Amino acid sequence: MTVNANQKVLKKALGVGLSAVMGMSLLAGCGSDSNGNTANGGSAVEGDNGKRVTLKVEVFDRGNSPAPHTITNNFLTQMVQERFGDPNNIDVEFVPVQRSEEVTKLNVLMASNTDVPDIVFTYDSSVFYRYAQQGGLTDVGAILDEHGPNLKKFLGEETLSYGQIDGKQLSIPGKRAVTGRYSSYIRQDWLDKLGLPVPTTTDELYTTLKAFKDKDPGGLGSKNIPMGMALAPAQFETLIYSFIKPVKGDLTYGQRYELPLHEGFKDAMQFLNKLYNEGLISKDFSLDEDKTQLGKDLNNGYVGYWSDDVGNLAYADGTLDVLYANVEGSKISAVDTYTNANVDNKHIKSRYASNGMYIMIPKSSKRAVEAVKYLDWMASDDNLVLMYSGVEGENYDLVDGIPVVKPDVSKEFADRLFNGGDMAIISNGKNFGDQELNQKAWISGFPERHKEILEQSYAIANTDTVGPIVFSKPIEAEPKYGTTLNDKLAVIMVKTAMAKPEQFDAVYEQEMKDFMSLGGTQLKEELEAALKDL
Amino acid sequence: MSERTSNRIFDIVIVTCVALFVLFCLAPFLHVIAVSLSSNRAITSGEVTLFPIELNWKAYAQVFSDNAMIRSLGYTVLLTAATTGLCMLFTIAAAYPLTKGYLKGRKTFMVIIIITMFFSGGIIPEYLLMRDLRLLDSTWALILPGLVSPFNLIILISFFNNIPQSLEESAEIDGSSFFRTLMSVVLPLSMPVLATLALFYAVGRWNGFQDALMYINSPELYPLQLKLFQMVQNNMVSELTQMEGANRTPLTPESLKAATVIFATVPILAVYPWLQKYFVSGVMLGAVKG
Amino acid sequence: MSKVSYLKRYWQLYALLSLPMIYFFIFRYGPMYGVQIAFKDFNLFQGIGGSEWIGFDAFREVFNLREFYTALRNTFMLNFLDLLVSFPAPIILAIMLYEIKGVWFKKISQTILYIPHFISWVIIGGIVYQLFGNQSGMVNGVLEGLGLSPIPFLTEKGPWLVTYLFTGVWQSAGWGTILYLAALTGVNRELFEAAEVDGATRMKKIWYITLPSIKPTIVTLLILNLGKMVSIGFDRPYIIGNTAVREYSDVLSTFVYRVGLESGQYTLATVVGLFQAVVGLVFILGSNYISKKMTGNGII
């Protein structure tokens, strides 16, 4: 009885399974059909001078394509096809790579030889160095001279130098519009309430934080956080850079995990230890690697002072908007407090290198010339403006030479630029070849109401900056020990900060010994040798 | 204490324990639902716990108005159904012969299968294989590599082994072929475990996206979980994105993430209650008697 | 029996088996040549075939890393604790569910219990931090309200281990019951009636009837679990772990991610993978052998 009943059910289940499979193969057919001709906006013209060729270009997929756009077929890809592809008899095909799995996918594509796009890129210098070291990249020097005059002019010598190894141009670095990186902020209403001046040195900052702690101007009790801290670069780098001594002029070693190799690092850790033990910074900073908790504390008005990526607080619905809505009478000011005793008490802070991502053409690519032509096309005329800002009159109006987003821009027009920043790979941020214009363009990307604090932040972020040193050949210890040491750096900060003050020295020595034994020694030797050779 | 009271106490203790655990399991889910229905201000200020604050349906309106999302849901349902069907066919085909102690080479086959639980070629050779089989960027790339899970196979073998030999033998004496014995005796007696394994395969496929990251380029073939992964991961501020500087994209609102999580989870959650009807006790008993 | 008549009699079984075996050879053994990477100085662009042989150099390098031993120790420790706590949890839960008489309560409970399995670790991590943080965590908020001192759930070894285990049980126990519930459908109800007549208590019935009937399933899963003693998922230790407890939360999977995949050193990653595979195989075959001797149940 039971057996029979169940048999029927089983047959039904098998039937459902089979018909689903059949449906699937149909669907699969559709899928492969429709992806063959992506970005096919214009009519295909069979050129006279040779066959039509396909240029494959990597594109970051962040899963934010608004319908009806897809990452491989949208306003900008069609525009590229029409304006660059068709006139040059090239089909431009975009290969999506998930943003967060970028390197894994790129490695696999590189290893396949056949499927790798003709243009690939990464922000990670060690990935670029590794590919270069293993001999997988095209030297584009000569091609750039012949086919990339606009591109060379746009990027400039300094930016291009980031892509050179032993005199070979193995990558084309994008150009960064805004190199200022960090600014600090303080609750002006707290200062006013306590009748305190804006702190301008590290010592004054300490006094102010003490006052925030003792007098609790926000009336927050145990929730009071005089200084907001997270285990994220924007928070700890600002502190560390105000103690370390640059290795040469205004230059420091380029990688974050090389910070412990600078003079003055111990003083930074000692200061962090003091702040922690006196209860002046977020107690749980060691758990907050993505700044989620810091963001909540900021929005609730628990934090008196903090450092952050420049502009990060000014997005629509960001910290400023939410804080002002949550806490009546709250007021934030941008401040430049940390002073570095090793560098004449200047407000030393780090800046970005002048390059953006590393654009590379794999050695296996047969379309190196077309690839350079594409990048050159992007750098010429107003193509970058079109990619970043869209069409004049539809997306933006020209104000003082910079495109300003129309306040009443329709959703349709706004949506079609969703991937502008990711398509315009040669430029990080809106580049107009002039700092002032770049700043204006940058600020125009934020809500109008925050203009003043953004201008202050921008100025602070560009004051007394130190940048990463560039050696003529890669440091081999970097790709080898980099990730391990980066992890160790976090451990050093957490362990030394949370140690009892009297145990600080012992903990610091122990952790640094560990750091050196995990590859720090080799790294230090190589860096020092490279520094001598400069 | 009478037997009845002790029985009652036993029942109460068990029900309380289970109810407590159920509450524990439900709470985070309620939290995600609450986030999906709350305002951005309340979420980023950390005010939302189990109930929505400043209730609104905007996030769901956005999810449901996204055609790509709806399409992806349909595709994922089909993909999951097809995968489950094929996986079950292959797993059953492997399990049944391997329960026969007298089958020559059985141990060798088992060892060959068990080795694959531990050794694998790694991501690059696997990608190259898919390329050489011309499966890249097709639905088959998401189905074929995981056809038989050795883990599920071993479980099925162990359940098949528990079916009284006498039942099968009587069928075999009747002159029934192995294939018919499988269909008419073994499978009907194994409905609970078959339902369980089907659920394992279905959930595995539904929650999987790593293969799609590697093998799929066409947005039309993105499974739902890949879209969810993009939303949750790609928008995280991390080591990875901090070099983006001025190119940083604004973050996806938390409520939209949460609504997508709900949208992508509820369909597969609905499968289990439906499968519960196969968990009938005493199947075996009925068969022995019948 | 001659070969011909053997095949004549059993060909159907081989025919059935052939399809899955073809699958295993193509999709599982096809890419297996990749294990060579462990013995080569792998260069992405020259491919596996073109890269240079380096013998056991990479093994020596890995076995000389102190971090490797820390990760190995932690993997063992966390897996062992999981075996003690997370392995029995679904069995107990399944038996409790089996004992419940209310049909609706039972069904709804089952459905809710397996929800955590579907919530990704990223989200679980966020919730865990919200609950167990020192300053902002809700649990410590309650403790503070009661006048107790806060517990460093996430930043000190002992409490962190408890948190780690608890999240594991919470996430997997409900999901784990499903298989046991399937096994429990095979319990012979007549035995209960007989036991009733003998006046056996509930606990006795569970011990002498329910448990033995799911013993083969328990043994099978235990063997499979023992095979996984040196392998560990990436997400749970990575997300529940944090810098303050790195010495205990760094396991082989996070180690491989860091020294191998993240920095593109496939050779080191493959070496560790190969090590795990060999140990896992030895464990699973060994425990199968012992189990066969002791209980008569095994997986082969």
Side-chain angles (χ1 to χ4, degrees), chain A residues 9 34-35 61 98-99 112 114-115 176 181 256 300 326 352 388 486, chain B residues 41 44-45 127 131 213 217-218 220 222 230 234 239 242-244 247 278:
Chain A
V9 176
S34 55
N35 83 74
D61 187 355
Q98 305 303 323
R99 178 65 184 100
S112 80
T114 48
D115 299 342
R176 195 178 283 273
R181 197 163 182 181
R256 184 172 315 123
N300 281 316
N326 277 348
Y352 285 112
Y388 261 107
N486 221 1
Chain B
R41 190 206 60 77
T44 56
S45 305
Y127 179 89
R131 178 194 68 185
L213 276 175
N217 284 335
S218 307
E220 308 89 79
Y222 284 179
Q230 288 178 325
N234 288 7
E239 195 74 3
Q242 52 113 4
M243 287 306 287
E244 290 185 351
N247 257 17
Y278 297 105

mmCIF file of all heavy atoms in Angstrom, chain A residues 9 34-35 61 98-99 112 114-115 176 181 256 300 326 352 388 486, chain B residues 41 44-45 127 131 213 217-218 220 222 230 234 239 242-244 247 278:
data_model
loop_
_atom_site.group_PDB
_atom_site.id
_atom_site.type_symbol
_atom_site.label_atom_id
_atom_site.label_comp_id
_atom_site.label_asym_id
_atom_site.label_seq_id
_atom_site.Cartn_x
_atom_site.Cartn_y
_atom_site.Cartn_z
ATOM 1 N N VAL A 9 4.456 9.139 -6.042
ATOM 2 C CA VAL A 9 5.099 10.412 -5.678
ATOM 3 C C VAL A 9 6.466 10.506 -6.317
ATOM 4 O O VAL A 9 6.864 11.510 -6.879
ATOM 5 C CB VAL A 9 5.236 10.517 -4.143
ATOM 6 C CG1 VAL A 9 5.976 11.784 -3.770
ATOM 7 C CG2 VAL A 9 3.869 10.479 -3.495
ATOM 8 N N SER A 34 22.394 35.246 -26.337
ATOM 9 C CA SER A 34 22.243 36.673 -26.117
ATOM 10 C C SER A 34 23.527 37.325 -25.631
ATOM 11 O O SER A 34 23.629 38.530 -25.602
ATOM 12 C CB SER A 34 21.138 36.927 -25.093
ATOM 13 O OG SER A 34 21.434 36.208 -23.934
ATOM 14 N N ASN A 35 24.512 36.509 -25.248
ATOM 15 C CA ASN A 35 25.696 37.183 -24.740
ATOM 16 C C ASN A 35 26.781 37.329 -25.802
ATOM 17 O O ASN A 35 27.809 37.941 -25.578
ATOM 18 C CB ASN A 35 26.244 36.487 -23.487
ATOM 19 C CG ASN A 35 27.108 35.315 -23.825
ATOM 20 O OD1 ASN A 35 28.238 35.475 -24.266
ATOM 21 N ND2 ASN A 35 26.585 34.119 -23.648
ATOM 22 N N ASP A 61 32.222 44.525 -11.789
ATOM 23 C CA ASP A 61 30.789 44.356 -11.580
ATOM 24 C C ASP A 61 30.521 44.467 -10.081
ATOM 25 O O ASP A 61 31.032 43.672 -9.299
ATOM 26 C CB ASP A 61 30.353 42.976 -12.097
ATOM 27 C CG ASP A 61 28.847 42.812 -12.070
ATOM 28 O OD1 ASP A 61 28.162 43.730 -11.563
ATOM 29 O OD2 ASP A 61 28.356 41.782 -12.554
ATOM 30 N N GLN A 98 33.699 40.309 -10.740
ATOM 31 C CA GLN A 98 33.079 40.758 -9.496
ATOM 32 C C GLN A 98 34.092 41.569 -8.700
ATOM 33 O O GLN A 98 35.207 41.125 -8.484
ATOM 34 C CB GLN A 98 32.610 39.570 -8.660
ATOM 35 C CG GLN A 98 31.687 38.622 -9.396
ATOM 36 C CD GLN A 98 30.477 39.312 -9.942
ATOM 37 O OE1 GLN A 98 29.943 40.210 -9.322
ATOM 38 N NE2 GLN A 98 30.047 38.920 -11.137
ATOM 39 N N ARG A 99 33.680 42.705 -8.239
ATOM 40 C CA ARG A 99 34.595 43.607 -7.564
ATOM 41 C C ARG A 99 35.366 42.942 -6.435
ATOM 42 O O ARG A 99 36.573 43.109 -6.314
ATOM 43 C CB ARG A 99 33.820 44.821 -7.018
ATOM 44 C CG ARG A 99 34.689 45.802 -6.250
ATOM 45 C CD ARG A 99 35.716 46.439 -7.175
ATOM 46 N NE ARG A 99 36.636 47.321 -6.479
ATOM 47 C CZ ARG A 99 37.863 46.972 -6.109
ATOM 48 N NH1 ARG A 99 38.309 45.742 -6.329
ATOM 49 N NH2 ARG A 99 38.651 47.822 -5.508
ATOM 50 N N SER A 112 44.517 31.070 -17.862
ATOM 51 C CA SER A 112 43.866 30.411 -18.997
ATOM 52 C C SER A 112 44.474 30.843 -20.324
ATOM 53 O O SER A 112 44.319 30.166 -21.324
ATOM 54 C CB SER A 112 42.378 30.722 -18.997
ATOM 55 O OG SER A 112 42.169 32.012 -19.546
ATOM 56 N N THR A 114 43.707 32.018 -22.837
ATOM 57 C CA THR A 114 42.781 32.251 -23.940
ATOM 58 C C THR A 114 41.665 33.219 -23.579
ATOM 59 O O THR A 114 41.207 33.976 -24.421
ATOM 60 C CB THR A 114 42.116 30.938 -24.357
ATOM 61 O OG1 THR A 114 41.654 30.295 -23.174
ATOM 62 C CG2 THR A 114 43.092 30.056 -25.083
ATOM 63 N N ASP A 115 41.220 33.188 -22.339
ATOM 64 C CA ASP A 115 40.022 33.948 -21.992
ATOM 65 C C ASP A 115 40.331 35.311 -21.412
ATOM 66 O O ASP A 115 39.430 36.056 -21.079
ATOM 67 C CB ASP A 115 39.191 33.180 -20.953
ATOM 68 C CG ASP A 115 38.745 31.847 -21.480
ATOM 69 O OD1 ASP A 115 38.776 31.691 -22.710
ATOM 70 O OD2 ASP A 115 38.375 30.991 -20.677
ATOM 71 N N ARG A 176 45.171 59.922 -10.690
ATOM 72 C CA ARG A 176 44.293 60.230 -9.576
ATOM 73 C C ARG A 176 44.022 61.728 -9.502
ATOM 74 O O ARG A 176 44.950 62.525 -9.567
ATOM 75 C CB ARG A 176 44.928 59.740 -8.275
ATOM 76 C CG ARG A 176 43.990 59.682 -7.114
ATOM 77 C CD ARG A 176 44.695 59.142 -5.891
ATOM 78 N NE ARG A 176 44.863 57.690 -5.927
ATOM 79 C CZ ARG A 176 43.952 56.827 -5.501
ATOM 80 N NH1 ARG A 176 42.813 57.263 -5.016
ATOM 81 N NH2 ARG A 176 44.172 55.532 -5.546
ATOM 82 N N ARG A 181 43.798 62.588 1.398
ATOM 83 C CA ARG A 181 43.224 61.326 1.826
ATOM 84 C C ARG A 181 42.397 61.418 3.105
ATOM 85 O O ARG A 181 41.287 60.928 3.169
ATOM 86 C CB ARG A 181 44.373 60.357 2.027
ATOM 87 C CG ARG A 181 43.950 58.941 2.068
ATOM 88 C CD ARG A 181 45.131 58.047 1.864
ATOM 89 N NE ARG A 181 44.699 56.666 1.870
ATOM 90 C CZ ARG A 181 45.511 55.631 1.727
ATOM 91 N NH1 ARG A 181 46.799 55.839 1.591
ATOM 92 N NH2 ARG A 181 45.054 54.417 1.731
ATOM 93 N N ARG A 256 51.298 49.767 3.793
ATOM 94 C CA ARG A 256 50.883 50.011 5.165
ATOM 95 C C ARG A 256 51.682 49.179 6.157
ATOM 96 O O ARG A 256 52.074 49.661 7.210
ATOM 97 C CB ARG A 256 49.394 49.705 5.320
ATOM 98 C CG ARG A 256 48.901 50.046 6.711
ATOM 99 C CD ARG A 256 47.408 49.931 6.808
ATOM 100 N NE ARG A 256 46.780 50.553 5.666
ATOM 101 C CZ ARG A 256 45.960 49.915 4.847
ATOM 102 N NH1 ARG A 256 45.659 48.671 5.057
ATOM 103 N NH2 ARG A 256 45.428 50.538 3.827
ATOM 104 N N ASN A 300 25.040 58.526 16.385
ATOM 105 C CA ASN A 300 24.303 58.755 17.623
ATOM 106 C C ASN A 300 24.866 59.909 18.430
ATOM 107 O O ASN A 300 24.342 60.238 19.488
ATOM 108 C CB ASN A 300 24.322 57.487 18.482
ATOM 109 C CG ASN A 300 23.322 56.474 17.984
ATOM 110 O OD1 ASN A 300 22.197 56.848 17.659
ATOM 111 N ND2 ASN A 300 23.710 55.226 17.908
ATOM 112 N N ASN A 326 19.702 63.347 14.457
ATOM 113 C CA ASN A 326 19.597 62.625 15.733
ATOM 114 C C ASN A 326 19.837 63.520 16.943
ATOM 115 O O ASN A 326 19.168 63.386 17.966
ATOM 116 C CB ASN A 326 20.604 61.471 15.778
ATOM 117 C CG ASN A 326 20.086 60.228 15.082
ATOM 118 O OD1 ASN A 326 18.897 60.149 14.758
ATOM 119 N ND2 ASN A 326 20.953 59.280 14.837
ATOM 120 N N TYR A 352 47.460 59.858 -1.162
ATOM 121 C CA TYR A 352 47.505 58.792 -2.151
ATOM 122 C C TYR A 352 48.658 59.064 -3.105
ATOM 123 O O TYR A 352 49.039 60.222 -3.317
ATOM 124 C CB TYR A 352 46.232 58.776 -2.986
ATOM 125 C CG TYR A 352 45.014 58.229 -2.301
ATOM 126 C CD1 TYR A 352 43.946 59.060 -1.978
ATOM 127 C CD2 TYR A 352 44.909 56.876 -2.017
ATOM 128 C CE1 TYR A 352 42.814 58.561 -1.376
ATOM 129 C CE2 TYR A 352 43.774 56.375 -1.405
ATOM 130 C CZ TYR A 352 42.728 57.215 -1.087
ATOM 131 O OH TYR A 352 41.609 56.721 -0.500
ATOM 132 N N TYR A 388 32.113 60.212 -17.132
ATOM 133 C CA TYR A 388 31.890 60.537 -15.723
ATOM 134 C C TYR A 388 30.592 61.314 -15.500
ATOM 135 O O TYR A 388 29.886 61.089 -14.516
ATOM 136 C CB TYR A 388 33.049 61.379 -15.177
ATOM 137 C CG TYR A 388 34.052 60.570 -14.406
ATOM 138 C CD1 TYR A 388 35.295 60.291 -14.926
ATOM 139 C CD2 TYR A 388 33.730 60.083 -13.143
ATOM 140 C CE1 TYR A 388 36.213 59.540 -14.225
ATOM 141 C CE2 TYR A 388 34.645 59.330 -12.434
ATOM 142 C CZ TYR A 388 35.888 59.051 -12.977
ATOM 143 O OH TYR A 388 36.764 58.313 -12.266
ATOM 144 N N ASN A 486 50.714 42.465 7.040
ATOM 145 C CA ASN A 486 49.571 43.352 7.201
ATOM 146 C C ASN A 486 48.705 42.892 8.371
ATOM 147 O O ASN A 486 48.235 43.681 9.190
ATOM 148 C CB ASN A 486 48.737 43.343 5.921
ATOM 149 C CG ASN A 486 48.242 44.719 5.564
ATOM 150 O OD1 ASN A 486 48.532 45.691 6.260
ATOM 151 N ND2 ASN A 486 47.492 44.806 4.502
ATOM 152 N N ARG B 41 18.050 56.133 8.703
ATOM 153 C CA ARG B 41 18.533 56.822 9.891
ATOM 154 C C ARG B 41 18.548 55.883 11.095
ATOM 155 O O ARG B 41 19.537 55.769 11.810
ATOM 156 C CB ARG B 41 17.643 58.029 10.199
ATOM 157 C CG ARG B 41 18.193 58.951 11.270
ATOM 158 C CD ARG B 41 17.099 59.722 11.983
ATOM 159 N NE ARG B 41 16.140 58.853 12.645
ATOM 160 C CZ ARG B 41 16.367 58.236 13.793
ATOM 161 N NH1 ARG B 41 17.521 58.398 14.420
ATOM 162 N NH2 ARG B 41 15.460 57.446 14.339
ATOM 163 N N THR B 44 21.357 53.107 10.656
ATOM 164 C CA THR B 44 22.746 53.521 10.824
ATOM 165 C C THR B 44 22.998 54.098 12.215
ATOM 166 O O THR B 44 24.132 54.341 12.582
ATOM 167 C CB THR B 44 23.165 54.556 9.767
ATOM 168 O OG1 THR B 44 22.258 55.655 9.830
ATOM 169 C CG2 THR B 44 23.155 53.963 8.382
ATOM 170 N N SER B 45 21.951 54.317 12.979
ATOM 171 C CA SER B 45 22.159 54.731 14.361
ATOM 172 C C SER B 45 22.084 53.543 15.302
ATOM 173 O O SER B 45 22.140 53.694 16.517
ATOM 174 C CB SER B 45 21.094 55.760 14.783
ATOM 175 O OG SER B 45 21.095 56.845 13.894
ATOM 176 N N TYR B 127 38.869 25.486 -13.821
ATOM 177 C CA TYR B 127 38.432 26.472 -14.805
ATOM 178 C C TYR B 127 38.832 26.025 -16.210
ATOM 179 O O TYR B 127 38.028 26.089 -17.145
ATOM 180 C CB TYR B 127 39.060 27.830 -14.496
ATOM 181 C CG TYR B 127 38.680 28.922 -15.468
ATOM 182 C CD1 TYR B 127 37.538 29.696 -15.243
ATOM 183 C CD2 TYR B 127 39.423 29.169 -16.613
ATOM 184 C CE1 TYR B 127 37.179 30.688 -16.140
ATOM 185 C CE2 TYR B 127 39.065 30.155 -17.501
ATOM 186 C CZ TYR B 127 37.943 30.919 -17.259
ATOM 187 O OH TYR B 127 37.570 31.902 -18.142
ATOM 188 N N ARG B 131 36.531 25.240 -19.525
ATOM 189 C CA ARG B 131 36.767 25.887 -20.809
ATOM 190 C C ARG B 131 36.895 24.839 -21.911
ATOM 191 O O ARG B 131 36.268 24.952 -22.962
ATOM 192 C CB ARG B 131 38.055 26.710 -20.740
ATOM 193 C CG ARG B 131 38.385 27.388 -22.065
ATOM 194 C CD ARG B 131 39.807 27.908 -22.070
ATOM 195 N NE ARG B 131 40.770 26.815 -22.053
ATOM 196 C CZ ARG B 131 42.084 26.987 -21.948
ATOM 197 N NH1 ARG B 131 42.585 28.198 -21.799
ATOM 198 N NH2 ARG B 131 42.900 25.952 -21.942
ATOM 199 N N LEU B 213 30.756 32.915 -9.874
ATOM 200 C CA LEU B 213 31.786 33.962 -9.891
ATOM 201 C C LEU B 213 32.860 33.644 -10.921
ATOM 202 O O LEU B 213 33.368 34.516 -11.605
ATOM 203 C CB LEU B 213 32.480 34.030 -8.530
ATOM 204 C CG LEU B 213 31.870 34.835 -7.415
ATOM 205 C CD1 LEU B 213 32.679 34.641 -6.153
ATOM 206 C CD2 LEU B 213 31.851 36.292 -7.783
ATOM 207 N N ASN B 217 29.802 34.813 -17.154
ATOM 208 C CA ASN B 217 30.031 36.212 -17.511
ATOM 209 C C ASN B 217 28.754 36.965 -17.839
ATOM 210 O O ASN B 217 28.713 38.185 -17.754
ATOM 211 C CB ASN B 217 30.963 36.309 -18.719
ATOM 212 C CG ASN B 217 32.409 36.041 -18.349
ATOM 213 O OD1 ASN B 217 32.800 36.233 -17.195
ATOM 214 N ND2 ASN B 217 33.189 35.586 -19.287
ATOM 215 N N SER B 218 27.727 36.232 -18.272
ATOM 216 C CA SER B 218 26.510 36.913 -18.700
ATOM 217 C C SER B 218 25.621 37.219 -17.506
ATOM 218 O O SER B 218 25.256 36.300 -16.769
ATOM 219 C CB SER B 218 25.726 36.033 -19.664
ATOM 220 O OG SER B 218 26.563 35.620 -20.696
ATOM 221 N N GLU B 220 22.642 37.585 -17.350
ATOM 222 C CA GLU B 220 21.360 36.858 -17.375
ATOM 223 C C GLU B 220 21.483 35.513 -16.663
ATOM 224 O O GLU B 220 20.483 34.916 -16.275
ATOM 225 C CB GLU B 220 20.896 36.580 -18.809
ATOM 226 C CG GLU B 220 20.838 37.774 -19.731
ATOM 227 C CD GLU B 220 22.168 38.005 -20.436
ATOM 228 O OE1 GLU B 220 22.442 37.296 -21.408
ATOM 229 O OE2 GLU B 220 22.939 38.876 -19.981
ATOM 230 N N TYR B 222 23.275 34.964 -13.887
ATOM 231 C CA TYR B 222 23.670 35.108 -12.485
ATOM 232 C C TYR B 222 22.611 34.488 -11.586
ATOM 233 O O TYR B 222 21.452 34.889 -11.643
ATOM 234 C CB TYR B 222 23.779 36.590 -12.086
ATOM 235 C CG TYR B 222 25.009 37.316 -12.570
ATOM 236 C CD1 TYR B 222 25.172 38.661 -12.264
ATOM 237 C CD2 TYR B 222 25.988 36.679 -13.306
ATOM 238 C CE1 TYR B 222 26.288 39.365 -12.698
ATOM 239 C CE2 TYR B 222 27.109 37.380 -13.746
ATOM 240 C CZ TYR B 222 27.254 38.708 -13.441
ATOM 241 O OH TYR B 222 28.351 39.401 -13.857
ATOM 242 N N GLN B 230 26.989 40.133 -4.314
ATOM 243 C CA GLN B 230 27.490 41.405 -4.816
ATOM 244 C C GLN B 230 27.054 42.528 -3.909
ATOM 245 O O GLN B 230 27.820 43.408 -3.543
ATOM 246 C CB GLN B 230 26.917 41.671 -6.213
ATOM 247 C CG GLN B 230 27.498 40.790 -7.283
ATOM 248 C CD GLN B 230 26.862 41.072 -8.624
ATOM 249 O OE1 GLN B 230 25.672 41.372 -8.700
ATOM 250 N NE2 GLN B 230 27.645 41.005 -9.668
ATOM 251 N N ASN B 234 30.306 43.517 -2.267
ATOM 252 C CA ASN B 234 30.922 44.546 -3.097
ATOM 253 C C ASN B 234 30.794 45.928 -2.486
ATOM 254 O O ASN B 234 31.571 46.818 -2.808
ATOM 255 C CB ASN B 234 30.299 44.564 -4.489
ATOM 256 C CG ASN B 234 30.723 43.370 -5.303
ATOM 257 O OD1 ASN B 234 31.375 42.474 -4.781
ATOM 258 N ND2 ASN B 234 30.366 43.351 -6.554
ATOM 259 N N GLU B 239 39.651 46.697 2.954
ATOM 260 C CA GLU B 239 41.018 46.774 2.452
ATOM 261 C C GLU B 239 41.011 46.998 0.940
ATOM 262 O O GLU B 239 41.757 47.790 0.395
ATOM 263 C CB GLU B 239 41.664 45.419 2.767
ATOM 264 C CG GLU B 239 43.136 45.382 2.670
ATOM 265 C CD GLU B 239 43.795 46.080 3.841
ATOM 266 O OE1 GLU B 239 43.107 46.551 4.769
ATOM 267 O OE2 GLU B 239 45.005 46.171 3.810
ATOM 268 N N GLN B 242 39.657 50.591 -0.386
ATOM 269 C CA GLN B 242 40.094 51.876 0.134
ATOM 270 C C GLN B 242 41.034 52.617 -0.814
ATOM 271 O O GLN B 242 41.230 53.808 -0.669
ATOM 272 C CB GLN B 242 40.679 51.726 1.535
ATOM 273 C CG GLN B 242 41.731 50.679 1.656
ATOM 274 C CD GLN B 242 43.067 51.276 1.946
ATOM 275 O OE1 GLN B 242 43.189 52.459 2.126
ATOM 276 N NE2 GLN B 242 44.082 50.441 1.967
ATOM 277 N N MET B 243 41.614 51.909 -1.803
ATOM 278 C CA MET B 243 42.422 52.605 -2.783
ATOM 279 C C MET B 243 41.569 53.316 -3.836
ATOM 280 O O MET B 243 42.079 54.013 -4.696
ATOM 281 C CB MET B 243 43.370 51.627 -3.495
ATOM 282 C CG MET B 243 44.539 51.137 -2.658
ATOM 283 S SD MET B 243 45.508 52.468 -1.948
ATOM 284 C CE MET B 243 46.345 53.068 -3.417
ATOM 285 N N GLU B 244 40.284 53.077 -3.799
ATOM 286 C CA GLU B 244 39.426 53.663 -4.833
ATOM 287 C C GLU B 244 39.290 55.172 -4.677
ATOM 288 O O GLU B 244 38.927 55.864 -5.612
ATOM 289 C CB GLU B 244 38.049 53.007 -4.818
ATOM 290 C CG GLU B 244 38.110 51.576 -5.306
ATOM 291 C CD GLU B 244 36.754 50.936 -5.431
ATOM 292 O OE1 GLU B 244 35.768 51.541 -4.974
ATOM 293 O OE2 GLU B 244 36.684 49.840 -5.977
ATOM 294 N N ASN B 247 36.806 57.446 -6.414
ATOM 295 C CA ASN B 247 35.942 56.600 -7.236
ATOM 296 C C ASN B 247 35.006 55.735 -6.406
ATOM 297 O O ASN B 247 34.246 54.945 -6.945
ATOM 298 C CB ASN B 247 36.801 55.674 -8.099
ATOM 299 C CG ASN B 247 36.870 56.163 -9.521
ATOM 300 O OD1 ASN B 247 36.550 57.316 -9.789
ATOM 301 N ND2 ASN B 247 37.273 55.300 -10.423
ATOM 302 N N TYR B 278 7.100 13.850 3.451
ATOM 303 C CA TYR B 278 7.753 12.570 3.165
ATOM 304 C C TYR B 278 8.363 11.958 4.417
ATOM 305 O O TYR B 278 8.854 10.850 4.396
ATOM 306 C CB TYR B 278 8.841 12.748 2.107
ATOM 307 C CG TYR B 278 8.291 13.207 0.786
ATOM 308 C CD1 TYR B 278 8.445 14.516 0.355
ATOM 309 C CD2 TYR B 278 7.562 12.323 -0.012
ATOM 310 C CE1 TYR B 278 7.921 14.925 -0.841
ATOM 311 C CE2 TYR B 278 7.017 12.732 -1.206
ATOM 312 C CZ TYR B 278 7.205 14.036 -1.623
ATOM 313 O OH TYR B 278 6.671 14.448 -2.797
#
